[in-house]
Amino acid sequence: MFGVIDWIVLAAYLGLSIFIGLWAARNNRSFKDYMLGGGSMPWIPIGISLIATSVSTTTFLGVPADVFDADMTLIMTNIGSFLSILVIGWLFIPRLRKSGIQSAYELLEKSFSRAVRRIAAVFYAMHLVLRTGILLFAPSLVLAPILQIPVWAAILISSVVAILYTWYGGFKAVVWTDVMQFGVFFGGGIVALFILVNGIGGFGELVSIARETGKSNWFNLSMDPSNARTLLSVGIVYAVLEIAIRGCDQQFVQRYLSCKDVKAANRSSILSMVLGVVCSLLFYWTGAALFIYYRVKNASPLPENLGVNDVFPYFIVNGLPAGLTGLLVAAIYAAAMSSISSAVHALSNTTEKDILCKPAGQESMFRAKLWIVFWGICGTGAAFVAASQAGSLLKNALFFTGLFTGPLLALFLLSFFASYLRSFSVLTGVACGMLSLLLFNGIPFVPSYVPPLEGVFSWPWNPLISCTVSVWIALCVDFVIPRKRVDLVVKG
């Protein structure tokens, strides 16, 4: 059970997070300092911060659960990540850096109009608030029974601490706490795997049994688009989602802009990918070790009717000595807090720069701090809403991810290669791209709707579908409709 020593470890971790926020606040003298760390942050902590922003409790808890239940085929997402890094380094980072922007969606006003910029920022805000809510709620389902507190209290601990240090320290606090949190997150995974391997009889035994039981299977060449566990779906097509996130998400763009030049930004991006691969290997093997520990070696009995998502939390509480349980719980909190701190800080910048469209010199660090609190409250509220929709949580998250990320990627691609398009054409394309997903996916909270092509494509295809439709419709509309008929459209 969670004892006194564990509480001390957890409290020390939370206290250290707040201390880093206070420490980072001492050099915030301007809006640029608060939002971009002055634009000269070292690339190594930025790279660590990028991966800390990417990984979440889904990695820490969900990946081991997936391997326990199936195998390692989803590790092929790292192939998509590698492909995305090439595209981001060649296409996105140089253009973003040379454009002179201070926020991701400022580029869309330069290419199209302020209306397109604002709409993109609103789409992003909706997507990120939803994602923040899920990333707060999911770990709280695990933390609440471990800490023997209500789910709402587990949610508040993560959100309040993260909002507090972000409010005080700004971007530097987010980056340096990310570095610390990634260390806790990664260290917790190593500790868990080390203890499991010892219980199994060594790493050689782990590898041998994993191969015999099929848990180390990771490659699937099937061309079936309805299967999400293939090289085509989670290796190649998944790269589109990675490009959309790494190239269009303000959390990532903000970090590229905080580096001193293009070379440093690319180094941080590559470092994040390398660390991502290492994290994947760690937690996929942890899942295999859990299966062998409990199902093959029977080193310890599992309670009957225990779900696969509860196996790792059960091991954390019952299979670790005092103090290490507190470390693993701190690691879960590290993933959750890294996600919310990055999200609310990015949303604050997006609100000030892209929704309010404050020009350089007229931004307000005071307003930015208020927006951090506002978006933190919204994210916490989304977590409470997610709690009431727990049965369809993953399905809803995947739907909204494809709904917003695909069209956002389309906007950036059009701004790079077809900036001559009119705002009307671009927005029409985006609307059609979003609607296209209704052909293949159900509508969250509308159970009566049955999509005509349900099951044809698995979830990694959603961003590709919505992005492709957005681009082609935008190009076709601009070609078909005479320009004089669009002159009536307000572009501001």
Side-chain angles (χ1 to χ4, degrees), residues 134-194:
I134 293 171
L135 294 179
L136 274 174
F137 167 63
S140 297
L141 286 176
V142 175
L143 293 168
I146 291 177
L147 302 177
Q148 297 183 335
I149 58 177
V151 171
W152 63 264
I155 291 172
L156 286 180
I157 291 175
S158 299
S159 59
V160 170
V161 174
I163 292 169
L164 185 60
Y165 72 69
T166 306
W167 185 86
Y168 270 107
F171 184 72
K172 291 178 182 177
V174 173
V175 170
W176 289 112
T177 51
D178 277 353
V179 172
M180 183 267 292
Q181 288 163 352
F182 180 77
V184 173
F185 172 88
F186 191 74
I190 291 176
V191 167
L193 181 59
F194 178 78

Side-chain angles (χ1 to χ4, degrees), residues 232-309:
L232 176 64
S233 293
V234 295
I236 299 173
V237 173
Y238 177 78
V240 176
L241 175 58
E242 280 285 312
I243 293 169
I245 293 174
R246 289 179 175 272
C248 310
D249 190 319
Q250 173 63 19
Q251 296 177 96
F252 283 78
V253 174
Q254 198 170 12
R255 283 159 176 76
Y256 303 148
L257 298 178
S258 72
C259 295
K260 65 178 182 179
D261 53 32
V262 171
K263 185 180 292 186
N266 266 317
R267 286 174 177 170
S268 70
S269 180
I270 294 170
L271 176 61
S272 72
M273 182 205 68
V274 173
L275 292 176
V277 172
V278 174
C279 274
S280 293
L281 291 172
L282 172 62
F283 288 101
Y284 275 99
W285 278 106
T286 298
L290 281 168
F291 180 84
I292 295 168
Y293 184 84
Y294 284 115
R295 296 299 191 207
V296 179
K297 293 290 187 177
N298 295 313
S300 177
L302 281 177
E304 293 185 8
N305 301 321
L306 188 71
V308 294
N309 291 318

Side-chain angles (χ1 to χ4, degrees), residues 72-73 75-76 79 216-222 229-231:
M72 296 187 186
T73 47
I75 203 171
M76 289 186 291
I79 298 174
S216 60
N217 293 339
W218 68 275
F219 200 67
N220 186 341
L221 281 174
S222 170
R229 308 182 74 91
T230 68
L231 175 64

Side-chain angles (χ1 to χ4, degrees), residues 210-463:
R211 186 183 299 114
E212 292 172 4
T213 57
K215 290 300 171 181
S216 60
N217 293 339
W218 68 275
F219 200 67
N220 186 341
L221 281 174
S222 170
M223 300 300 288
D224 180 10
S226 66
N227 185 355
R229 308 182 74 91
T230 68
L231 175 64
L232 176 64
S233 293
V234 295
I236 299 173
V237 173
Y238 177 78
V240 176
L241 175 58
E242 280 285 312
I243 293 169
I245 293 174
R246 289 179 175 272
C248 310
D249 190 319
Q250 173 63 19
Q251 296 177 96
F252 283 78
V253 174
Q254 198 170 12
R255 283 159 176 76
Y256 303 148
L257 298 178
S258 72
C259 295
K260 65 178 182 179
D261 53 32
V262 171
K263 185 180 292 186
N266 266 317
R267 286 174 177 170
S268 70
S269 180
I270 294 170
L271 176 61
S272 72
M273 182 205 68
V274 173
L275 292 176
V277 172
V278 174
C279 274
S280 293
L281 291 172
L282 172 62
F283 288 101
Y284 275 99
W285 278 106
T286 298
L290 281 168
F291 180 84
I292 295 168
Y293 184 84
Y294 284 115
R295 296 299 191 207
V296 179
K297 293 290 187 177
N298 295 313
S300 177
L302 281 177
E304 293 185 8
N305 301 321
L306 188 71
V308 294
N309 291 318
D310 298 320
V311 174
F312 195 20
Y314 178 83
F315 173 76
I316 291 173
V317 175
N318 298 281
L320 297 177
L324 291 182
T325 299
L327 176 65
L328 269 290
V329 171
I332 298 173
Y333 264 120
M337 288 168 57
S338 177
S339 298
I340 187 173
S341 64
S342 295
V344 297
H345 192 270
L347 285 170
S348 174
N349 190 48
T350 296
T351 304
E352 191 73 6
K353 297 293 296 183
D354 298 311
I355 297 178
L356 298 181
C357 292
K358 294 294 182 181
Q362 294 184 22
E363 315 97 334
S364 168
M365 192 161 69
F366 175 74
R367 279 198 309 268
K369 289 188 173 186
L370 292 180
W371 286 121
I372 283 175
V373 175
F374 171 79
W375 288 116
I377 293 172
C378 289
T380 304
F384 290 134
V385 172
S388 66
Q389 301 291 330
S392 56
L393 188 62
L394 179 59
K395 184 178 180 180
N396 293 349
L398 294 175
F399 175 82
F400 284 109
T401 295
L403 186 68
F404 293 120
T405 55
L408 280 175
L409 176 58
L411 286 173
F412 276 79
L413 293 177
L414 290 171
S415 72
F416 292 158
F417 301 110
S419 59
Y420 59 86
L421 295 180
R422 293 159 289 178
S423 298
F424 173 81
S425 305
V426 171
L427 294 177
T428 301
V430 165
C432 291
M434 297 174 76
L435 290 173
S436 68
L437 291 184
L438 299 184
L439 295 173
F440 309 96
N441 298 268
I443 305 175
F445 318 122
V446 185
S448 59
Y449 174 72
V450 179
L453 301 176
E454 184 176 23
V456 174
F457 294 104
S458 54
W459 63 265
W461 291 78
N462 283 346

Side-chain angles (χ1 to χ4, degrees), residues 1-11 321-327:
M1 297 299 292
F2 206 78
V4 175
I5 297 177
D6 299 308
W7 276 110
I8 292 173
V9 172
L10 179 58
L324 291 182
T325 299
L327 176 65

Side-chain angles (χ1 to χ4, degrees), residues 55-112:
V55 299
S56 65
T57 46
T58 301
T59 305
F60 195 91
L61 299 174
V63 167
D66 184 70
V67 179
F68 188 95
D69 188 48
D71 53 31
M72 296 187 186
T73 47
L74 290 185
I75 203 171
M76 289 186 291
T77 54
N78 288 297
I79 298 174
S81 297
F82 173 74
L83 295 175
S84 73
I85 288 296
L86 298 178
V87 175
I88 296 302
W90 167 70
L91 179 63
F92 280 79
I93 290 178
R95 290 174 181 263
L96 292 170
R97 291 282 315 190
K98 292 176 183 178
S99 65
I101 60 175
Q102 291 188 14
S103 66
Y105 312 110
E106 186 179 349
L107 183 68
L108 302 179
E109 181 177 353
K110 291 187 174 186
S111 298
F112 304 118

